[in-house]
Amino acid sequence: MKLLVICGATASGKTALAVECARRLNGEVVSCDAFLVYRGLDIGTAKPTREERCGIVHHMIDVADPRDNFSVHDFERLALPVVEDILARGKVPVLCGGTGFYMNAILFRSGFGHVAADEGLRAGYEEFARVQGREALHALLAQRDPESAARLHPNDMRRVIRALEIYDLTGRKKSEQKDTKQPRYPYAAFAFAWPREELYARIEARTQAMLDAGLVAEVQGLLASGVPENAQCMQAIGYKEVVECLKNDSSQSTMRDIILKNTRNYAKRQLTFFKKMPGLVWLAPKDVRAAAEEIEVVYDG
């Protein structure tokens, strides 16, 4: 049985499409999103509500404490048995999300990111960055793994630290770990191809809806519960901007503009990533039911 993949940019309509496809194909949704794994991060991650799930079973949501780090390796370790169980019960796993590395961890066998995390190393590098600055941390990576450093911005501290961690634990550069993309399962993959301005309008509408739904209060609640502001989950777009706004007492209008800018840039990176997925079919934007019907025909064909 083939896996079904619904991927693409943030705010492109993946969740509703995956639910409708799962309904039609007797499937269950496996979330492939780096921040839906965290309990308590609901509004800013657009976590599907009970109503939005429409009775379809969803997996890999709320599986991690917001105080913990969660890696691609952790995702693979938890998600692969879920996929195997869905297949064993004769149902279709519907992979849905925008975190390409998480999705690839299920679809392909590769060496990428399969080095277990070392909390001691991470804490040391986080302290180094706090004292010496992010530019100094990035310069350290440039000494050890110039190729990875060239691809990463100094502000992308999580990935800079991950590359340093891989080097320390294996003695090999992260850039030397080639992703061979050997398929684990047959699959059919689809994504909506929104015109840029329409996608940006959807991003703006969803960002405003998140703020109206209480994103700021959600972040305040997480901080009050003991989640550190530098926790991995707080690096999600929406959360980190709210934290900065609260720290600097800046206006919510400015915060909103920064969230929009960062989300648009993230959407561009997502699209660049998924364009490299073998066999991905880009769908013209349309009604969810019509799109699901088109997918069902291709999937069964």
Side-chain angles (χ1 to χ4, degrees):
M1 186 177 293
K2 290 185 292 188
L3 274 58
L4 176 61
V5 174
I6 306 296
C7 60
T10 186
S12 62
K14 298 184 295 294
T15 298
L17 181 57
V19 166
E20 179 63 18
C21 288
R23 186 186 68 79
R24 288 170 175 264
L25 295 171
N26 187 30
E28 296 180 7
V29 173
V30 180
S31 171
C32 297
D33 185 284
F35 295 103
L36 287 186
V37 298
Y38 289 108
R39 293 184 288 273
L41 275 72
D42 301 328
I43 297 172
T45 61
K47 189 174 289 178
T49 64
R50 184 179 298 276
E51 291 74 23
E52 288 170 332
R53 298 181 199 188
C54 299
I56 299 298
V57 176
H58 282 60
H59 302 273
M60 296 308 297
I61 293 176
D62 293 337
V63 297
D65 187 278
R67 298 164 188 81
D68 294 339
N69 287 329
F70 195 88
S71 68
V72 176
H73 177 76
D74 295 323
F75 180 82
E76 179 188 56
R77 175 175 54 83
L78 294 179
L80 279 177
V82 168
V83 171
E84 290 291 343
D85 177 66
I86 296 170
L87 290 169
R89 290 185 281 112
K91 304 188 81 172
V92 176
V94 181
L95 309 189
C96 176
T99 304
F101 291 134
Y102 279 27
M103 196 161 277
N104 279 359
I106 295 177
L107 295 175
F108 306 107
R109 294 183 180 89
S110 74
F112 176 82
H114 292 191
V115 179
D118 186 301
E119 298 302 331
L121 279 175
R122 289 186 176 182
Y125 282 127
E126 287 169 0
E127 179 64 14
F128 179 92
R130 187 186 69 81
V131 175
Q132 303 290 336
R134 295 185 177 189
E135 293 286 349
L137 184 73
H138 187 266
L140 187 63
L141 177 61
Q143 294 172 13
R144 300 178 182 181
D145 185 353
E147 286 186 38
S148 292
R151 290 198 296 266
L152 297 172
H153 192 279
N155 288 340
D156 193 356
M157 197 170 73
R158 182 167 65 87
R159 288 189 173 88
V160 170
I161 289 176
R162 179 59 177 157
L164 286 164
E165 181 182 40
I166 289 171
Y167 183 86
D168 287 348
L169 292 173
T170 68
R172 295 180 58 206
K173 301 174 184 177
K174 176 177 174 295
S175 57
E176 293 175 347
Q177 298 189 20
K178 302 303 182 183
D179 188 350
T180 55
K181 288 193 174 180
Q182 299 172 350
R184 278 196 174 96
Y185 309 99
Y187 67 87
F190 302 86
F192 276 133
W194 289 97
R196 185 177 63 177
E197 293 308 315
E198 289 186 46
L199 179 61
Y200 286 0
R202 291 174 65 89
I203 288 171
E204 183 169 3
R206 194 170 78 172
T207 298
Q208 187 59 54
M210 288 175 175
L211 292 170
D212 292 342
L215 175 59
V216 173
E218 179 171 88
V219 175
Q220 289 172 321
L222 288 166
L223 295 172
S225 72
V227 179
E229 66 180 50
N230 63 347
Q232 181 176 312
C233 73
M234 287 300 201
Q235 307 316 303
I237 295 174
Y239 292 85
K240 61 183 177 181
E241 293 84 0
V242 172
V243 169
E244 288 301 312
C245 177
L246 295 173
K247 285 172 59 179
N248 301 320
D249 197 27
S250 54
S251 74
Q252 289 203 17
S253 175
T254 299
M255 177 191 73
R256 176 182 179 276
D257 290 343
I258 296 172
I259 292 173
L260 284 173
K261 177 178 178 292
N262 290 341
T263 306
R264 288 193 293 264
N265 289 338
Y266 177 53
K268 291 177 187 176
R269 295 194 300 272
Q270 288 175 301
L271 292 171
T272 298
F273 185 98
F274 286 119
K275 283 176 182 177
K276 299 174 184 177
M277 176 177 282
L280 178 62
V281 176
W282 292 93
L283 302 171
K286 62 190 71 176
D287 173 81
V288 165
R289 290 187 178 181
E293 183 177 344
E294 180 178 342
I295 288 172
E296 185 177 11
V297 171
V298 175
Y299 181 87
D300 289 335

